[in-house]
Amino acid sequence: MTAVLAGCSNTGVTGTVDLPPMEEELFTDAEKVFALYNQVTFDDTVDTIAERLGEPTKETSENGDYWLWQNEDGAGVGAVFFDNGKLRSKVVVFEDIRQFELLSNTQSFENVAFLQEGMEPLTVAAAFGSEGIEIMRMLTDSGADGVEQYLLLWVMEGGSIAQCMFAEGDAGLQQVSYSLGNVIK
């Protein structure tokens, strides 16, 4: 599972990145890619998800443990839990974030540098000419005061990528991370 929001900031990452050719196939079937992700809610625990989706694979990284549920074709959901067992975050499983290019349907990257904290999701979507794809959802706290946040993704041919974190309610855009990529041929 690829790290999401690595090095994110309110100002984003600028410049052009030379990316290696992508070896994975582009996603073309959103229903298939998000099938498991859409079945997981913040009411879930490892056990309730396992009842519905089967036994997970437990992985350990420098950031702690996470659990993976994957279909035979590799599509799936990754989950992290609070110490009390409640779901903390869920993320769509993928190998290369550029796989979302066709599902993203991003029309333009011209306005990415003008995105500002507090912008509404519809305003940000208008800047890219498409709605964006939710690839992660998380809670800031396991208690009643926890804020639900979600990450929307836009990908263009050539590897330009923008990730925008929003909070439910009136907070609007909280963080933007982007890179303008060129794929090495």
Side-chain angles (χ1 to χ4, degrees):
M1 181 169 51
T2 303
V4 177
L5 275 180
C8 67
S9 70
N10 288 334
T11 57
V13 178
T14 59
T16 302
V17 178
D18 287 330
L19 301 170
M22 190 169 65
E23 296 178 10
E24 292 77 19
E25 292 185 31
L26 294 176
F27 293 136
T28 58
D29 185 346
E31 191 172 308
K32 186 173 164 182
V33 172
F34 295 98
L36 298 180
Y37 178 83
N38 290 337
Q39 293 183 52
V40 175
T41 71
F42 286 110
D43 293 328
D44 277 318
T45 64
V46 170
D47 293 335
T48 62
I49 300 171
E51 287 175 16
R52 288 193 314 276
L53 305 181
E55 287 302 313
T57 302
K58 182 179 177 182
E59 303 285 338
T60 301
S61 75
E62 64 275 358
N63 295 324
D65 296 334
Y66 61 96
W67 287 256
L68 295 173
W69 286 267
Q70 291 180 274
N71 291 336
E72 62 283 346
D73 61 2
V77 62
V80 176
F81 297 87
F82 286 108
D83 289 339
N84 68 4
K86 288 186 68 170
L87 182 71
R88 179 179 190 155
S89 65
K90 64 178 186 173
V91 63
V92 175
V93 173
F94 56 91
E95 292 298 320
D96 187 321
I97 203 161
R98 296 174 290 172
Q99 290 177 271
F100 290 96
E101 177 188 318
L102 296 177
L103 298 180
S104 173
N105 197 29
T106 303
Q107 303 298 308
S108 172
F109 245 70
E110 294 174 13
N111 296 318
V112 70
F114 299 109
L115 299 180
Q116 296 181 5
E117 191 172 324
M119 286 182 161
E120 295 296 319
L122 289 175
T123 304
V124 175
F128 294 113
S130 66
E131 292 182 22
I133 300 169
E134 180 182 313
I135 62 166
M136 185 180 77
R137 195 164 275 265
M138 64 182 280
L139 281 175
T140 58
D141 187 284
S142 65
D145 295 334
V147 175
E148 197 168 317
Q149 297 175 310
Y150 59 99
L151 182 71
L152 296 182
L153 171 71
W154 288 267
V155 181
M156 282 196 73
E157 183 177 4
S160 293
I161 299 163
Q163 299 176 88
C164 297
M165 180 69 78
F166 296 92
E168 292 291 346
D170 297 329
L173 180 62
Q174 295 188 322
Q175 292 180 322
V176 175
S177 175
Y178 68 95
S179 65
L180 306 175
N182 286 331
V183 177
I184 297 172
K185 302 278 183 189

